[in-house]
Amino acid sequence: MAKIIVNQNKIDNIEEVLELCPFGALEEIDGKVEINAACKMCKMCVKKGPEGTFEFEEDEKVAINKDEWKGITVYVEHSDGEIHPVTYELIGKARELAAKINHPVYCVFVGNNIKDKCLPLLSYGVDEVFVYDDEELDKFRIEPYTAAVENYISKIKPTIMLFGGTTIGRSLAPRLAARFRTGLTADCTILDIQENTDLDQIRPAFGGNIMAHINTPNHRPQFATVRYKIFNAPEKVENPTGKITICEIEKNKLQSNIKVLETKIKNKVIGIEDAEVVVVVSRAFKKAEDIQMAEKLADLLGAQIGGTRPTIEAGWVDPRKQIGLSGRTVKPKLIITCGVSGAVQFVAGMKGSDYIIAINQDENAPIFDVAHLALIGDIYEIIPMLIEKIENSINSCSKQDILAKA
């Protein structure tokens, strides 16, 4: 572990030295300057202190043989064999990364009675699907699923593991990363790769105020989770050449302290992530009742209502409809933002939309930087005008025609 060494004989003025640390990590004990637990390793003392007073000493990093790790693997998210769409999006990104380093693309598929569910994966250009099909893996339980994927990683040694940023992915990925003593970057928005197979993982940090660029150069595999709708699913390939490999694991490793007594199927509803048209409301609306005009616009377009974080906190919009880093990521054909300023946190959740119409009375609003069409004005004037225009056209053309014209 890295550390900072204090050379006491180089200190002439203790009071002056103590003021170097912005975190108060330097203190005087028995006439000596000591570093306490508040140290953030910012190295300000090394840079600003008297020459030679503070020295930063970093442990020698143990190099790994990166050639031993090959392939980019996507964990197949599924429910009773029905594959989650985020899996195909990750396959598309995996193929893009793998092409740059000439590595194969793998999938690891864990469950029960899933052997005949692998063909769709191969049709998206996967080189090999590794299947763990066992009755002990019938329903997702963290211990046996972790054991199966751990067994796969130990045998195949992929350089990168990609998981969907779902409830299951967020449970499985950190447990596996801990077992292999490697890094995990959650909710990545950008992935790229270097020639030496180091994965460039970029995600918003500190509330979206900065974009953190993360590498794991001395450990393998490299783990990352990615939300649904961040990347695009690839086109299917003609005459796929991938193969399916059935894997075995000892039964005793699939034991679990969790027993599934019953499962209940949730009523299927179209989530905001799957909506083709979204109308977004913000605190530009003066009161909750005023959102009705946005709802009327949404009804005319067959759209769903989404909200910014302030509208969720105010109780105006269902929390499941929040768009942004702390909410959902959407990629509709059309999105209309009503009074949204365009904070980084919000834009990260919708910038992949096919067509963005932004309404805001501030012509310098950041939302206009990503919008395809800017409507500068008061939402209380523009939204009723849009509603009137659509209602006047509704008798002469279909909703699809209206969307096309929009």
Side-chain angles (χ1 to χ4, degrees), residues 17-57:
V17 168
L18 295 179
E19 294 178 359
L20 290 171
C21 183
F23 303 104
L26 297 177
E27 58 183 354
E28 181 184 358
I29 300 177
D30 298 331
K32 294 183 177 182
V33 175
E34 302 286 349
I35 300 174
N36 62 33
C39 179
K40 309 296 184 186
M41 299 298 282
C42 68
K43 297 185 279 187
M44 186 67 71
C45 56
V46 178
K47 298 172 184 175
K48 301 293 186 180
E51 186 176 355
T53 302
F54 298 93
E55 295 181 58
F56 179 73
E57 186 178 281

Side-chain angles (χ1 to χ4, degrees), residues 3 31 125 154 173 178 256 317 325 401:
K3 59 184 177 180
S154 298
S256 173
V317 179
L325 290 178
D401 294 332

Side-chain angles (χ1 to χ4, degrees), residues 2-14:
K3 59 184 177 180
I4 295 176
I5 299 172
V6 183
N7 295 314
Q8 304 292 337
N9 61 333
K10 302 273 185 162
I11 300 175
D12 295 325
N13 188 330
I14 290 181

